[in-house]
Amino acid sequence: MSNQLHKPAHARADWTIDQGWEKYTAEEHAVWDLLYKRQMEILPGRAADEFMHGLKALDLGKGGIPNFEIISDELEALTGWRVVAVPGLVPDEVFFDHLANRRFPAGQFIRKRNELDYLQEPDVFHDVFGHVPMLTNPVFADYMEAYGKGGLRSLNFAALKNLAALYWYTVEFGLIQTDDGLRIYGAGIVSSKTESIFALEDASPNRIGFDLERLMTTDYRIDDFQQTYFIIESYDQLFRATVDTDFAPLYERMQGKFSKAPEDVIKREDTVITHGTQAYAKSGGRLANADAK
Ligand code: HBI
Ligand code: FE
């Protein structure tokens, strides 16, 4: 997958680089502020309480791109995690090794003002605004470490694809059921204005109860809104499912393959909260709907 990445000359052996916080331009800080403001207009009442608390605890809205040293000291005091700067995507084994050691690798760069809504590589807004707040939650913080450790173990199996689906459908695109209704905790959703509304309110996507093997055998969209979102009941459910499961027989069964398409609903097996119309995907998705946004 991301194993053919080329390490830039200025990156260390573990792919980290200096954040170079003092070198960000006024325009780059202004892009952070704009993105932050846009998300705060829509996230209250949509994002999980634990995410909102994390934003506040780390003071991510104080203005400008956060300084990793400062937020790392605060985060380390809460859950022992730190944020380290990387140039962009890093190889899987490097990524897992950071997570297993409670370091979150965050993209150093920020997107340009003319591409606020969609980008391929994870930038500092996606990584720090999207991922870091949930790392203030002790159970979620433990889940992320467990995921990294599981990743290191899975390198010996032809299973990475299945494990990546788990990350995708939880850490990136997860929803949680609460007493006040469905809430977003996935970083790929909370860092996107359009997907924050789509994931919770649109009639298109399926919304299905969390089941570890189901998630790990389901293909996903990397370039558009998800066709299915999986709903957890608690972060403990997520953590327990990963640490109490012996992944070796799972990997053996899955064979590094997906047996379900992104839009599938499995009768009599899935706990279906919404059976989506898939109208958005059927109409051509992001490219076809670009003007309507
Ligand atoms: N690198 N910087 C970065 N961020 C990621 O989310 C990431 C990565 N490398 C690999 C990777 N993710 C995936 O292979 C895992 O999610 C499985
Ligand atoms: Fe991400």
Side-chain angles (χ1 to χ4, degrees), residues 30-96:
V31 168
W32 172 282
D33 290 343
L34 175 60
L35 288 163
Y36 191 95
K37 180 164 163 282
R38 283 191 347 161
Q39 290 314 93
M40 292 315 280
E41 283 165 9
I42 54 165
L43 289 183
R46 289 196 177 91
D49 286 348
E50 294 77 9
F51 175 85
M52 300 305 286
H53 287 152
L55 279 183
K56 213 180 207 174
L58 300 173
D59 207 9
L60 296 183
K62 74 175 181 186
I65 298 170
N67 183 319
F68 291 2
E69 281 300 315
I70 295 173
I71 61 171
S72 289
D73 288 347
E74 290 164 0
L75 183 59
E76 189 169 10
L78 293 169
T79 57
W81 277 76
R82 294 190 70 84
V83 180
V84 293
V86 291
L89 284 174
V90 301
D92 297 322
E93 66 276 17
V94 174
F95 185 67
F96 294 143

Side-chain angles (χ1 to χ4, degrees), residues 12 14 16-19 58 60 66-86 94-107 127-128 131-137 141-142 144-145 167:
R12 301 178 188 99
D14 66 357
T16 61
I17 57 174
D18 288 331
Q19 185 190 12
L58 300 173
L60 296 183
N67 183 319
F68 291 2
E69 281 300 315
I70 295 173
I71 61 171
S72 289
D73 288 347
E74 290 164 0
L75 183 59
E76 189 169 10
L78 293 169
T79 57
W81 277 76
R82 294 190 70 84
V83 180
V84 293
V86 291
V94 174
F95 185 67
F96 294 143
D97 192 63
H98 282 300
L99 298 185
N101 290 285
R102 289 175 107 88
R103 292 185 302 267
F104 190 79
D127 279 336
V128 173
H131 284 283
V132 173
M134 287 304 298
L135 293 172
T136 64
N137 178 266
D142 286 351
M144 289 287 277
E145 179 191 336
Y167 192 86

